[in-house]
Amino acid sequence: MDDLNFGGFINVWGRHGRFVFSGDIMYVNTTDGHGNGPLPALQIPGFGTTIPPGASVGAKVDTKQFTATLQGGYRVLDTPQFTLDALAGMRFWHISNDVTVTANHPAIGTRTASHGEDFGWVDPVVGMRTFLPVTDRLSVQAQADIGGFGAGSDLTWSALATVNYVLGDRLSASVGYKVLDVDYDHKGHIYDTRLSGPVFGMTYRF
């Protein structure tokens, strides 16, 4: 939460008979910064000169992550007490990183260098979704998937669990927890991160 600027996602779920569809779009913007010093003499790309010993150096990283997951599947179990859906599909990634490094020393004053990169990939994923009614208005829902397998990232997985309460014929409220993990390393681009935290939402059924 200390690094989060903005984050959110939209999930769409559909079913026709035993055939099901799941889609979600997620966007997260984070900024993290660290400083250190005094440091020994060092060279930093973009500064054009050697940083003298005793300098203080700070770095700020701004990351924007966009993912879109599309999955289709089949309802394996369908009972009044419990449903289970098997899913398979693709997860699309786009990552934007902007790094700003600032060095301070009396001999050079304040110098700043920046670097930006954009890259993306596609992961195959397989997963499952369960729905468990507790009462007429209260229910528990969970969805998880795993993928990558070296086709895009080395590994990615996600899990979402919510407790839902029906407010009306078409509207319900949810509270839960979501985790999204990825390990990507390809052609000099590395993105190895885990996002997790509480989720709050409203569902409109039509």
Side-chain angles (χ1 to χ4, degrees), residues 3-184:
D3 301 336
L4 181 67
N5 298 324
F6 174 81
F9 70 95
I10 297 174
N11 181 270
V12 178
W13 181 262
R15 180 171 67 91
H16 179 71
R18 283 185 173 265
F19 294 98
V20 295
F21 167 81
S22 174
D24 71 67
I25 296 175
M26 182 176 180
Y27 175 82
V28 178
N29 184 324
T30 60
T31 300
D32 191 16
H34 295 280
N36 206 348
L39 298 174
L42 73 159
Q43 289 187 333
I44 299 177
F47 277 79
T49 185
T50 299
I51 308 300
S56 297
V57 177
K60 183 179 72 172
V61 180
D62 183 74
T63 298
K64 299 178 180 68
Q65 172 186 304
F66 173 84
T67 61
T69 306
L70 300 175
Q71 297 183 82
Y74 189 78
R75 178 148 293 183
V76 180
L77 295 174
D78 190 3
T79 71
Q81 295 80 28
F82 180 77
T83 65
L84 176 64
D85 303 314
L87 301 165
M90 311 292 285
R91 176 169 294 134
F92 304 86
W93 297 81
H94 183 267
I95 307 299
S96 173
N97 288 319
D98 293 296
V99 181
T100 302
V101 179
T102 302
N104 292 285
H105 190 277
I108 61 172
T110 300
R111 296 206 178 190
T112 301
S114 299
H115 174 72
E117 64 174 0
D118 293 270
F119 57 99
W121 69 93
V122 180
D123 283 326
V125 293
V126 293
M128 58 181 293
R129 180 180 186 261
T130 64
F131 182 81
L132 176 65
V134 179
T135 68
D136 290 341
R137 290 185 174 271
L138 190 66
S139 63
V140 177
Q141 180 177 297
Q143 183 170 340
D145 61 56
I146 188 170
F149 310 121
S153 64
D154 294 331
L155 180 68
T156 181
W157 63 270
S158 73
L160 170 65
T162 61
V163 177
N164 318 292
Y165 187 79
V166 176
L167 302 174
D169 292 340
R170 297 182 179 273
L171 192 65
S172 61
S174 300
V175 60
Y177 200 83
K178 182 177 177 68
V179 182
L180 176 60
D181 186 279
V182 64
D183 181 4
Y184 177 84

Side-chain angles (χ1 to χ4, degrees), residues 188-202:
H189 296 296
I190 298 174
Y191 194 67
D192 184 0
T193 187
R194 176 178 298 176
L195 299 175
S196 61
V199 296
F200 307 94
M202 304 292 293

